[in-house]
């Protein structure tokens, strides 16, 4: 019997290490959704995760425009309700450090340069940053140091002044 106890005692440190690894792994995976090449927030909607899985290169390229350390919080194909394959634009919202900063990219999916507008404001409606002009790829990045409940406005205007792919969020980032 003492042989079994010794064997168990010798194995105890290895078991403790393995158990600790098992405890750490779920915590690490809880912070991001598993999408190859793209860091997706654990709080991202099912639609955002599906979009990132279907278009990982697009989501990664938009994150790259924001810079290192950003995690995809939401991807909104526009006009809203449009099949992502038929979208005119995609609004990407990323966060860094949880609540430390937010970054938005408004991706042009029309295949030609468009008049685009992108604006992010803190929840108080101040501290706004915008990007507007004629862009063939994307507007932005626009950033906020207060992403919690920040709002985002984005649209494309045709040459005749009609807004297409129009979006105004109540809250584009974390808001819980």
């Amino acid at each position: 019997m003492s042989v079994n106890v010794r064997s168990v005692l010798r194995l105890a440190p290895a078991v403790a290490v393995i158990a600790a690894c098992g405890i750490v792994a779920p915590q690490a995976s809880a912070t991001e959704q598993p999408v190859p090449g793209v860091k997706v927030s654990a709080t991202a909607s099912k639609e955002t995760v599906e979009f990132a899985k279907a278009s990982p290169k697009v989501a990664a390229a938009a994150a790259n425009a924001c810079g290192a350390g950003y995690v995809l919080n939401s991807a909104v194909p526009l006009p809203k309700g449009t099949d992502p394959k038929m979208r005119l634009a995609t609004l990407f919202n990323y966060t860094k450090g949880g609540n430390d900063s937010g970054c938005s990219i408004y991706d042009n999916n029309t295949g030609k340069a468009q008049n685009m507008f992108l604006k992010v404001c803190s929840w108080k409606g101040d501290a706004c940053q915008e990007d507007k002009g004629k862009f063939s790829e994307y507007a932005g990045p626009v950033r906020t140091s207060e992403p919690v409940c920040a709002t985002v406005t984005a649209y494309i205007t045709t040459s005749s002044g009609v807004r297409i792919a129009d979006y105004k969020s109540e809250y584009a980032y974390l808001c819980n």
Side-chain angles (χ1 to χ4, degrees), residues 89-128:
T90 308
L91 176 63
F92 292 99
N93 298 301
Y94 295 86
T95 53
K96 185 175 184 177
N99 298 334
D100 293 342
S101 64
C103 176
S104 294
I105 301 288
Y106 193 36
D107 194 28
N108 178 351
N109 306 127
T110 65
K112 62 181 181 177
Q114 298 284 357
N115 293 313
M116 299 179 74
F117 177 86
L118 176 62
K119 178 175 158 181
V120 62
C121 295
S122 73
W123 67 272
K124 296 176 264 183
D126 63 355
C128 298

Side-chain angles (χ1 to χ4, degrees), residues 91 117-120 151-155 163 166-169:
L91 176 63
F117 177 86
L118 176 62
K119 178 175 158 181
V120 62
T151 61
V152 175
T153 303
Y155 56 83
R163 283 188 183 185
D166 196 359
Y167 180 84
K168 170 113 173 112
S169 73

Side-chain angles (χ1 to χ4, degrees), residues 35-36 38 48-61 72 84-85 87 90 92 94:
V35 178
V38 182
T48 294
V49 174
E50 288 173 3
F51 184 91
K53 284 181 179 178
S55 305
K57 289 181 182 178
V58 173
L72 181 61
K85 295 175 187 149
R87 69 191 184 278
T90 308
F92 292 99
Y94 295 86

Side-chain angles (χ1 to χ4, degrees), residues 15-16 27 42 46-47 67 71-72 74 76 85 94 115 123 134 139 147 151 167 171 173:
V15 170
Q27 291 174 348
K46 177 183 171 188
E47 292 79 16
V71 177
L72 181 61
S74 66
V76 183
K85 295 175 187 149
Y94 295 86
N115 293 313
W123 67 272
K134 194 163 191 166
T151 61
Y167 180 84
Y171 305 116
Y173 299 100

